[in-house]
Amino acid sequence: MSSLTSDLSLTENITTIIRPPYFYISGFTAIPHMKYYYVFLCFVYIMSLIGNTFVMFVISMDRSLHSPKYIAVFNLALTDVCETTALVPKLLDMFLFGRQFISYDQCLANYFFVVIFLFMQSFNLIILSYDRLVAICQPLRYHMLVSHRSMFQLTGAAWVFAVLIVLFPVSFITRLSFCESVVINSYFCDHYPLYSLAAPCSDVLPNRVLSHLIPCIVFYIPMIFIIASYICITHALFTITLPQDRHRAIKTCTSHLILVAIYYLPINITYLFVFFIPSNIRIINLSLTSVLPPMLNPIIYVLKTEEFKVSAKKLIRRGAQRAVGPLMFT
């Protein structure tokens, strides 16, 4: 009877999930003067916030930009604002003010919101590449294939898919026991450093599988699709007879390719060699990938677009006239 009782208590101990009250985000290790880097991230965040808010304001105010393409552009700007806001203020609070302890629930929430917007950036780049593919390769069928309805469906499906794909690792993390270290070697509650802490006392195989599978779905496959689409676009560009039309198409595609390279190259290298890259290099790669594309997206892609510049100048001129008008009568 006593042996049976001991077996039952042993089973209860095994099945009990140990959740620490808090984690400690270590950030960079053994690198001096890192406060300057965090100040740089703060500057990038402010520029990203201003640029993307301006893009969303112009698109919402000018009816000529209420086209399917600019639904995707607006969604990209919204994602950029949400991504940097989910990451940078919390990062500055932790490392500039020494508040590196984070509760268990806050850690999971931090992971969810940072990663969902990071994934949405990838999906937005796919949607924009699809728009360019149809516009250049199938110009006569563009308005039939890329309508307001289809663009809303694409962006809505992307958001739903991003939420679902992030919920998987979050749900598996809640089943892990953390019985030893609570120090996360990252700049936020990242998946790989987080589940690695549970390896001594939990089965982390499902988390390890997800850490390979999710980057394939979110980063590698989209990048292959975008490369394939631009191979088709390059072939179609040679069939354009008018040099002016060809130059305009190349200019638009070049801007998009720059964004694709800035986003996908660092993040794919990081996730491909996540088990071999030192934590400091991983943190630099992922943090810059999270903040630089949102700052550069309005500059490279949107503000260089002729129709957007015309709309922006028109709105600025209209605003200046409204401001000056009452002053003329005082």
Side-chain angles (χ1 to χ4, degrees):
M1 185 71 180
S2 61
S3 62
L4 180 61
T5 307
S6 63
D7 289 342
L8 287 173
S9 63
L10 180 61
T11 304
E12 288 178 1
N13 288 335
I14 291 172
T15 57
T16 300
I17 296 175
I18 302 171
R19 293 178 179 174
Y22 59 83
F23 291 102
Y24 181 83
I25 312 293
S26 66
F28 292 98
T29 55
I31 299 180
H33 309 298
M34 283 312 300
K35 286 189 176 182
Y36 296 110
Y37 179 70
Y38 300 131
V39 171
F40 166 73
L41 293 183
C42 180
F43 169 76
V44 172
Y45 169 64
I46 293 170
M47 295 299 296
S48 172
L49 206 60
I50 294 171
N52 287 291
T53 302
F54 178 70
V55 167
M56 289 189 290
F57 174 76
V58 173
I59 292 173
S60 60
M61 294 299 293
D62 194 340
R63 294 185 63 84
S64 66
L65 297 180
H66 293 181
S67 62
K69 171 189 171 182
Y70 281 97
I71 294 173
V73 172
F74 185 94
N75 193 50
L76 178 65
L78 176 64
T79 303
D80 289 342
V81 169
C82 293
E83 180 187 351
T84 51
T85 302
L87 175 67
V88 177
K90 183 63 178 176
L91 185 147
L92 297 177
D93 182 57
M94 286 191 295
F95 299 115
L96 285 183
F97 301 101
R99 298 167 184 166
Q100 292 168 254
F101 288 98
I102 184 170
S103 69
Y104 180 88
D105 292 335
Q106 286 179 339
C107 187
L108 293 183
N110 177 249
Y111 169 75
F112 178 84
F113 286 109
V114 170
V115 173
I116 191 174
F117 299 126
L118 189 67
F119 289 177
M120 269 307 300
Q121 249 203 352
S122 178
F123 298 151
N124 283 327
L125 291 176
I126 296 178
I127 294 170
L128 288 169
S129 68
Y130 169 74
D131 175 82
R132 291 299 86 206
L133 178 67
V134 176
I136 295 173
C137 296
Q138 298 287 336
L140 298 180
R141 301 180 62 196
Y142 177 79
H143 293 291
M144 183 177 66
L145 295 175
V146 184
S147 62
H148 287 82
R149 181 179 179 180
S150 65
M151 193 57 74
F152 277 122
Q153 288 174 340
L154 281 174
T155 53
W159 278 104
V160 172
F161 186 61
V163 170
L164 292 177
I165 206 168
V166 175
L167 285 177
F168 276 104
V170 171
S171 63
F172 278 107
I173 286 173
T174 59
R175 301 179 183 183
L176 299 179
S177 289
F178 299 87
C179 56
E180 292 190 4
S181 176
V182 293
V183 179
I184 299 175
N185 293 319
S186 187
Y187 63 103
F188 76 107
C189 290
D190 200 1
H191 182 234
Y192 167 67
L194 184 56
Y195 80 74
S196 299
L197 299 179
C201 45
S202 295
D203 179 17
V204 297
L205 180 60
N207 301 82
R208 194 177 293 273
V209 170
L210 285 175
S211 69
H212 289 287
L213 181 62
I214 290 176
C216 288
I217 297 172
V218 177
F219 301 123
Y220 307 149
I221 294 175
M223 188 176 68
I224 292 170
F225 172 81
I226 292 172
I227 291 172
S229 70
Y230 274 93
I231 292 173
C232 298
I233 287 171
T234 303
H235 179 265
L237 287 175
F238 287 106
T239 63
I240 298 177
T241 55
L242 293 176
Q244 185 178 359
D245 292 342
R246 189 187 301 119
H247 176 73
R248 190 187 306 120
I250 291 173
K251 185 178 178 182
T252 303
C253 293
T254 302
S255 300
H256 186 223
L257 279 175
I258 292 171
L259 295 182
V260 168
I262 290 171
Y263 177 80
Y264 281 112
L265 288 181
I267 204 165
N268 280 343
I269 291 171
T270 301
Y271 277 105
L272 196 61
F273 302 103
V274 66
F275 302 109
F276 311 103
I277 293 178
S279 61
N280 285 338
I281 296 176
R282 188 185 74 250
I283 292 171
I284 289 176
N285 273 356
L286 289 179
S287 60
L288 289 179
T289 303
S290 300
V291 298
L292 281 183
M295 182 189 73
L296 296 175
N297 284 346
I299 300 170
I300 294 177
Y301 189 75
V302 181
L303 297 180
K304 280 191 172 184
T305 308
E306 192 61 36
E307 55 188 340
F308 184 87
K309 288 194 290 187
V310 171
S311 297
K313 289 176 182 177
K314 185 168 63 177
L315 281 175
I316 293 171
R317 196 180 303 116
R318 190 186 306 164
Q321 289 174 351
R322 287 179 179 177
V324 173
L327 295 175
M328 296 178 62
F329 296 99
T330 57

